[in-house]
Amino acid sequence: MREGGRSEAQVSYVAQAPRAQSGLTEDTFDQWVLPDGTPWTAFYRQENGYLLRFPDLADFFVSADGQRVEERAVPGVAPSTVQHLFLNQVLPLALSRQGKLVLHGSAVEVDGQCVAFIGESGRGKSTLAASFATRGRRFLTDDGLELVWAASGLSVVPSHPSIRLWQDSQEALVSASTKAAPAVEFTTKTRFLAGPEIAFCETARPLARIYYLGAGDADSAEIVPAKAADALLALIRNSFVLDIGEQEVLVRHFEELVKIANLPIHYHLDFPRRYDELPLVQAAIVRHAAAGAHA
Amino acid sequence: MNFKDTVKIPPDVMARQVGDETVILDLASGNYFGLDPVGARIWQLIGEGKPLEAVCETLLDEYEVSAEQAREDLARLVGQLQAQGLVSIA
């Protein structure tokens, strides 16, 4: 079991001795493929759970109830690589098997509440989280946004206390002394650990806003309300769900997202992709989050 | 398309209203579809089991649209829904 009261503490984790990946008799029921066509993850249904295969990197067995993950790395693959795969890909899918709602999104704390940023890879989720966390505000997650219903409404659960950044974002946002995790083999992103320079919020916070990130066409920070149906489709697109072939899972997930989409918390956010603009973007978000529900 | 026909929604297709629009989930494929407010209203009327003729009359009552335009829009939407397997003509 990993330490901590965060997302990764909700799954028991066992690392098996490394072994070469053997052929599997089952057919895949799903595959993730990189934009260049390279297979990235193959999904197999097995007795009592699922096998997630990252070719030449690692296999992960996820129990059907999502409570347990067994890792088996390919010999020679660095532990940091395997941990990266677990935190960013496998853990959110395991949590989805527990009936939890996990989205591709980052989140930061603003005045005791939380604002989340949702969008496809490259839209600036981690950059925004790092921008807040290096300028006096705390982040809750840089991806793997776990939402839970609390008595007061929807809350965000903190995930692993680290932020992954591409080289250009690192240079613009993070000082050379910030502690980083060891390098990972399949990406040039570096994982920076929370600490004095990157502030982390360790407790769940009520969710005040979700911002859907645009393509970066705006000349300055632009925030406009998002229609509920657009919000719902964006939430669906950015959800982690393991095995959409199970209809009851799909129905439960859909009903939950409909409930969230009908809340008055959804906005489109676009901003120019210039690092010198980030303090202004941050100020605009803080102002907006502090204003009324339909500001 | 015969406007005397009724359109049926298969049991593994579910739809929910969000704001003034509707999002449809096809459980068989796991695919989602969005309907704008007019499409959402048509979906609601279809779901009540009204024949297309009656759906069309309701649209004429509720929207400023010509009979020809209403029939054309309705036929187009039903055709698209049918092509995606979200409805069948009874």
Side-chain angles (χ1 to χ4, degrees), chain A residues 5-7 10 140-141 144-148 155-159 203-205:
Chain A
R6 305 176 297 262
S7 294
Q10 302 167 43
L140 287 92
T141 180
L145 175 73
E146 184 185 343
L147 301 177
V148 292
S155 279
V156 175
V157 178
S159 73
T203 45
R205 287 283 176 264

Side-chain angles (χ1 to χ4, degrees), chain A residues 227-230 232-233 236 244 247 250-251 253-255 258 261-262, chain B residues 12 14-19 21 23-25 27-30 32 34:
Chain A
K227 288 193 294 185
D230 290 345
L232 176 56
L233 291 169
I236 290 166
I244 60 164
Q247 294 200 346
L250 209 52
V251 169
H253 185 69
F254 184 50
E255 296 285 21
V258 166
N262 278 320
Chain B
D12 57 357
M14 64 185 285
R16 289 292 176 271
Q17 187 157 355
V18 273
E21 302 185 66
V23 174
I24 302 168
L25 164 59
L27 286 164
S29 65
Y32 295 87

Side-chain angles (χ1 to χ4, degrees), chain A residues 32 40 88-89 92-93 101-107 116-121 123 125-126 141-147 164 210-213 234-241:
Chain A
W32 288 349
W40 171 239
N88 290 288
Q89 321 278 338
L93 292 169
L101 190 58
V102 190
L103 305 166
H104 286 283
S106 65
F117 306 109
I118 286 181
E120 287 81 25
S121 188
R123 290 279 168 113
K125 297 187 293 287
S126 294
T141 180
D142 87 319
D143 199 359
L145 175 73
E146 184 185 343
L147 301 177
R164 296 165 309 137
I210 298 179
Y211 297 102
Y212 300 91
L213 303 179
L235 291 169
I236 290 166
R237 265 199 314 278
N238 289 287
S239 292
F240 284 96
V241 182

Side-chain angles (χ1 to χ4, degrees), chain A residues 276-287:
Chain A
D276 59 355
E277 193 76 20
L278 283 173
L280 293 175
V281 176
Q282 185 175 328
I285 293 165
V286 168
R287 245 188 343 264

